[in-house]
Each structure stands twice: as C-alpha cells, then as structure tokens.
Amino acid sequence: EVQLVETGGGLVQPGNSLKLSCATSGFTFSTAWMNWIRQTPGKRLEWLAQIEDKSNNYFISYLESVKGRFTISRDDSKSSVYLQMNNLKEEDTAIYYCTPKFYYSAPFDYWGQGVMVTVSS
Amino acid sequence: DIRMTQSPASLSASLGETVNIECLASEDIYSDLAWYQQKPGKSPQLLIYNANSLQNGVPSRFSGSGSGTQYSLKINSLQSEDVATYFCQQYNNYPTFGGGTKLELK
C-alpha cells in the first residue's frame, strides 16, 4: 500500500522559513518523480515543484512564482522528499501535498493527507 | 502555462440524475487529462486519466471523454457518495488544474 506522510507544517510569520518533509512507502521511491502541490483556502490546486530520479540527474522544475523561494530535495536512502520554503508570504497559506509520478506524462495517482501551512502575523 | 477553465463552478443535481462537468484547455493537451474527486477534509483521488481511462476501483458510472482542448466528466445515476468537488488537471506540460466544480444534492 502506497503511503505518503507530510510533516513540518504550522503557523509561521511572514518572511520566515519552514521545511516540509514527506515520508513515503509502498512504491519504488528511487525511480519515482516526486512533486509538491498545494491547495489554497479557496480550494485552488497549484503544482509547485518536481524532482526527477537519479537516472534523470535529479532534474528539478518549479512553478515560476515560487522559484528562488522554494527548494525541493530528496533522500532516496530515506524514501523522503522535502520542500524548503523561505521568505514565506500570506498567500503561501495552504495545505501542502506530496505526490509521486511514475513516468513523464502522468497524473497524480497517490496523494498524502497533506500538511497545513499558515503564514500570518 | 496551460490554463484550465472548468465549468460549472457549482452544480446541484438529484439522486439518479446524470451530471456533466466540462474542462477547457488553453491549448491542445493531447488527452493528457485527469479528473479527481475530493471529498471534504480529504485529499484528491484520481478518477480518470488519459481523458477516458477509469482508475482501478472507480465505479463505472464515472466516464471521461474529449480531445484537443475540450474534455468532460460524466457521472451517470448520481449517488449520495458522489457529493464532492471535482477537478480536472492537464499533464501535457507543467501540471495545471481547473478551478473545481462543487457538486451538491438537490
């Protein structure tokens, strides 16, 4: 059974940083392309970042609006993916999900339960 | 970025009714389209991929169709457990989602 467990969320002030983690099991993590997606309080879904696997040199892609503030990384030895978020803004308030992709043009088959990030003073 | 315009934003239907939700892409996405169902307090669940392929375990009353820039999700014989918000998503390029359709019972 595929499991994705996001942790690290919470309440943070604007301008501060937060690092999200996603621990996975039930699939071959090392060959999966890992993604972060968020859902705003208005229910809008927004893809944020993807990190490909070792065979693709861990190529990374970002949504333009978070490039330079967010950093995705992975640790294949721990089957985990991370999202470092810096200089947080109130509009970053959302539920953050990690999801795997198993080939290039693929939907998101599996989602974690998500972790809430609230940016507010 | 490819924009996904989903309609309607909300929908009220009766049990047993047939429901259609539309999704329009800003450019040809070559059937790289998925539909998700999200129930309150839960994460999205994949229903349909490649525009018309039913994900394992999804009831056959759900179906998808379309090509090019126009796609639709059809729910036959609406059941109470189908009350949810539905999203389309393209994966032909960097993933983008429709704004969602909130389906309620009349």
Side-chain angles (χ1 to χ4, degrees), chain A residues 19-20 22 29 34 36 49-51 60 62 71-76 80-84:
Chain A
K19 186 174 184 177
L20 305 181
C22 174
F29 182 85
M34 294 304 298
W36 286 96
Q50 175 177 272
I51 183 166
I60 289 173
Y62 292 105
T71 302
I72 189 172
S73 60
R74 63 189 291 161
D75 185 338
D76 289 352
S80 294
V81 62
Y82 309 96
L83 187 68
Q84 175 69 46

Side-chain angles (χ1 to χ4, degrees), chain A residues 39 43 61 97 105-106 108 111-112, chain B residues 36 38 43-44 87 91 94-95:
Chain A
Q39 187 166 36
K43 302 303 181 186
S61 308
Y97 297 99
S105 281
F108 298 112
W111 298 63
Chain B
Y36 300 87
Q38 186 177 32
S43 56
F87 295 92
Y91 45 91
Y94 292 119

Side-chain angles (χ1 to χ4, degrees), chain B residues 83-98:
Chain B
V83 170
T85 300
Y86 293 84
F87 295 92
C88 62
Q89 178 235 329
Q90 66 78 21
Y91 45 91
N92 184 255
N93 203 324
Y94 292 119
T96 50
F97 293 84

Side-chain angles (χ1 to χ4, degrees), chain A:
Chain A
E1 180 193 4
V2 171
Q3 290 199 327
L4 304 144
V5 180
E6 301 94 339
T7 56
L11 173 63
V12 61
Q13 292 187 331
N16 283 2
S17 300
L18 206 57
K19 186 174 184 177
L20 305 181
S21 300
C22 174
T24 77
S25 61
F27 64 96
T28 306
F29 182 85
S30 61
T31 59
W33 297 8
M34 294 304 298
N35 292 258
W36 286 96
I37 295 169
R38 68 185 176 188
Q39 187 166 36
T40 67
K43 302 303 181 186
R44 179 173 56 91
L45 287 163
E46 188 171 51
W47 170 83
L48 298 173
Q50 175 177 272
I51 183 166
E52 298 180 19
D53 65 343
K54 185 177 181 179
S55 70
N56 289 286
N57 298 313
Y58 300 117
F59 183 78
I60 289 173
S61 308
Y62 292 105
L63 179 69
E64 194 63 35
S65 61
V66 304
K67 203 177 288 186
R69 292 195 303 126
F70 289 12
T71 302
I72 189 172
S73 60
R74 63 189 291 161
D75 185 338
D76 289 352
S77 69
K78 296 182 179 179
S79 296
S80 294
V81 62
Y82 309 96
L83 187 68
Q84 175 69 46
M85 304 185 293
N86 297 331
N87 188 23
L88 282 161
K89 307 175 181 182
E90 290 190 351
E91 53 264 38
D92 294 318
T93 294
I95 297 172
Y96 286 72
Y97 297 99
C98 71
T99 69
K101 271 177 61 173
F102 300 104
Y103 49 95
Y104 175 67
S105 281
F108 298 112
D109 297 64
Y110 303 101
W111 298 63
Q113 85 287 350
V115 63
M116 185 70 205
V117 171
T118 303
V119 184
S120 174
S121 53

Side-chain angles (χ1 to χ4, degrees), chain B:
Chain B
D1 291 359
I2 298 176
R3 290 186 314 278
M4 304 301 291
T5 303
Q6 193 173 334
S7 61
S10 63
L11 182 56
S12 183
S14 302
L15 291 174
E17 197 173 323
T18 295
V19 168
N20 282 285
I21 299 169
E22 309 290 327
C23 198
L24 178 67
S26 60
E27 60 187 79
D28 195 331
I29 56 172
Y30 303 96
S31 297
D32 289 337
L33 183 104
W35 290 97
Y36 300 87
Q37 177 192 65
Q38 186 177 32
K39 296 184 178 181
K42 301 294 186 181
S43 56
Q45 300 294 308
L46 179 65
L47 294 176
I48 302 280
Y49 62 97
N50 294 347
N52 59 17
S53 297
L54 201 64
Q55 177 72 340
N56 288 342
V58 174
S60 59
R61 63 179 179 275
F62 291 91
S63 63
S65 63
S67 62
T69 62
Q70 296 185 299
Y71 299 87
S72 63
L73 172 70
K74 183 178 180 180
I75 310 173
N76 284 317
S77 188
L78 186 69
Q79 304 295 304
S80 57
E81 59 264 33
D82 300 335
V83 170
T85 300
Y86 293 84
F87 295 92
C88 62
Q89 178 235 329
Q90 66 78 21
Y91 45 91
N92 184 255
N93 203 324
Y94 292 119
T96 50
F97 293 84
T101 296
K102 187 174 184 180
L103 175 59
E104 299 174 323
L105 282 179
K106 193 180 291 183

